[in-house]
Amino acid sequence: MFLLILCGILLCLALILTIKIYLLKKSINEIGLEFEEHLSSDTNTLISVSSRDRHIRKLANQINVQLRELRRQQREYYNGNMELKDAVTNISHDLRTPLTAISGYLELLEQEHNTKDFSRYISIINNRCKLLKQLTEELFVYSMTLSKNHSFKLEPIHVNRILEESIVSFYTDFQEKNIVPTIQITEQKIIWTADRFSLSRIFSNILHNAVKYSDGDLNICLTDFGTITFTNTAYGLNETEVGKLFDRFYTIEDARTSTGLGLSIAKTLISQIGGSISAEYKDNKLSIFVWMDK
């Protein structure tokens, strides 16, 4: 009798285990089929299982976590790919425009030797050449900042002096735009451990952006705490545009005169040397802040 009871118990356990194994295999097959379906289709739905087994449900949850991450990476890749395609199109147009103008005016010069229009054509060609140089320089610097082989020479930098030098280099630009900058630079010596070239490039790109979009004023302030603020009146901006100022290839104007890389380069460089940059738009005034985090 004891043996019969024991055999009955063993048979029940075997039956339970068989059913358990069957259900586990069924759940695993469900996960496999859903996983294959999710990979082959563009869907945000997650894998679901009928099993109540905690191990199977844990496995499904772990796969769902990876699916979410995969979807996020796919979206970033897609957006980045579309951004790159648009950028290539825009940059190609930007580079062709001054080149076409230069070629056209050179043809006119061949027919206008020693006439009153000669100097005007030369001036236009010179301006187009400067624009072309600026565009190619922005592309070169941007590619350098993203290069794995790009190295920095970190050293103690007198920020007051570098900022003053950058401002002076824009003297002609200020005159052309009738901008009389208000400059407030602390007498306290501000020292950052940074790369000299990168810091000069950061200030130059910010100043170029300020001159380009300023409505006639510019305030530059370096505080005792080392925070630098560039503020200018810029009517017509909105929070969406300001939020995109540091995006790659973004420009506010439809008629482009740059690659839209200036502030993106500044953000990349300041981040690489341990600093931060941000923008704020309030009462029709655009302010860009630069500071070191360490």
Side-chain angles (χ1 to χ4, degrees):
M1 180 64 69
F2 175 77
L3 289 176
L4 288 175
I5 294 174
L6 181 60
C7 288
I9 293 173
L10 291 175
L11 285 173
C12 289
L13 290 174
L15 180 61
I16 293 172
L17 288 174
T18 301
I19 295 173
K20 182 72 172 178
I21 292 171
Y22 170 78
L23 293 175
L24 289 176
K25 289 178 65 176
K26 180 183 177 182
S27 298
I28 292 173
N29 288 333
E30 288 177 356
I31 292 175
L33 290 173
E34 284 203 48
F35 185 73
E36 183 177 353
E37 180 181 345
H38 282 63
L39 289 179
S40 60
S41 61
D42 186 13
T43 176
N44 291 321
T45 60
L46 300 176
I47 291 175
S48 59
V49 291
S50 58
S51 174
R52 294 183 178 277
D53 184 84
R54 63 186 181 88
H55 298 289
I56 292 296
R57 299 185 74 85
K58 181 179 180 181
L59 174 62
N61 288 333
Q62 290 175 337
I63 293 176
N64 283 332
V65 170
Q66 297 304 316
L67 278 175
R68 291 192 190 97
E69 178 63 17
L70 178 61
R71 291 291 177 229
R72 186 188 66 78
Q73 292 179 359
Q74 286 178 332
R75 285 194 296 270
E76 287 184 355
Y77 174 81
Y78 176 80
N79 293 335
N81 192 41
M82 293 301 297
E83 181 183 57
L84 181 60
K85 288 180 180 179
D86 292 339
V88 170
T89 301
N90 291 329
I91 292 171
S92 298
H93 177 268
D94 292 339
L95 294 177
R96 287 173 58 192
T97 300
L99 284 174
T100 302
I102 290 171
S103 298
Y105 282 107
L106 283 174
E107 292 178 3
L108 290 174
L109 277 177
E110 293 177 355
Q111 307 169 14
E112 300 288 345
H113 286 299
N114 300 320
T115 67
K116 61 180 181 179
D117 292 324
F118 187 83
S119 296
R120 184 169 66 88
Y121 292 154
I122 289 294
S123 176
I124 293 173
I125 291 174
N126 186 47
N127 290 334
R128 294 299 185 275
C129 286
K130 287 181 178 179
L131 173 58
L132 188 58
K133 182 179 179 182
Q134 175 191 328
L135 293 172
T136 54
E137 176 69 9
E138 285 185 356
L139 288 172
F140 173 73
V141 173
Y142 184 69
S143 65
M144 288 294 295
T145 60
L146 297 182
S147 173
K148 294 182 179 179
N149 297 324
H150 182 59
S151 59
F152 295 96
K153 183 182 179 182
L154 298 179
E155 57 182 339
I157 301 295
H158 190 179
V159 179
N160 314 53
R161 186 175 302 164
I162 298 297
L163 180 58
E164 289 171 355
E165 292 173 356
S166 298
I167 294 171
V168 170
S169 69
F170 274 81
Y171 177 76
T172 302
D173 301 88
F174 293 148
Q175 282 191 318
E176 291 178 354
K177 291 291 294 282
N178 296 317
I179 296 174
V180 180
T182 301
I183 303 170
Q184 299 171 296
I185 297 180
T186 178
E187 295 183 0
Q188 181 173 325
K189 190 175 182 180
I190 304 299
I191 302 295
W192 289 355
T193 300
D195 178 78
R196 180 177 295 273
F197 170 80
S198 298
L199 197 57
S200 295
R201 170 61 62 177
I202 291 166
F203 293 156
S204 176
N205 286 9
I206 295 174
L207 286 168
H208 176 76
N209 184 80
V211 169
K212 182 178 178 182
Y213 295 112
S214 174
D215 288 320
D217 65 327
L218 176 60
N219 180 273
I220 304 168
C221 178
L222 171 60
T223 69
D224 294 341
F225 301 101
T227 299
I228 307 171
T229 306
F230 302 83
T231 302
N232 61 273
T233 301
Y235 294 105
L237 292 182
N238 56 58
E239 292 183 2
T240 300
E241 291 173 330
V242 174
K244 293 182 179 180
L245 284 178
F246 302 108
D247 291 354
R248 294 179 301 169
F249 308 115
Y250 178 78
T251 59
I252 294 174
E253 297 176 334
D254 292 330
R256 294 172 177 267
T257 55
S258 74
T259 58
L261 289 173
L263 291 182
S264 179
I265 290 173
K267 182 178 180 179
T268 300
L269 288 175
I270 193 66
S271 176
Q272 289 175 340
I273 61 176
S276 297
I277 186 171
S278 67
E280 178 183 87
Y281 188 61
K282 186 176 181 182
D283 298 330
N284 295 319
K285 289 188 178 292
L286 174 65
S287 297
I288 294 179
F289 306 92
V290 180
W291 69 95
M292 289 296 287
D293 296 319
K294 56 182 180 180

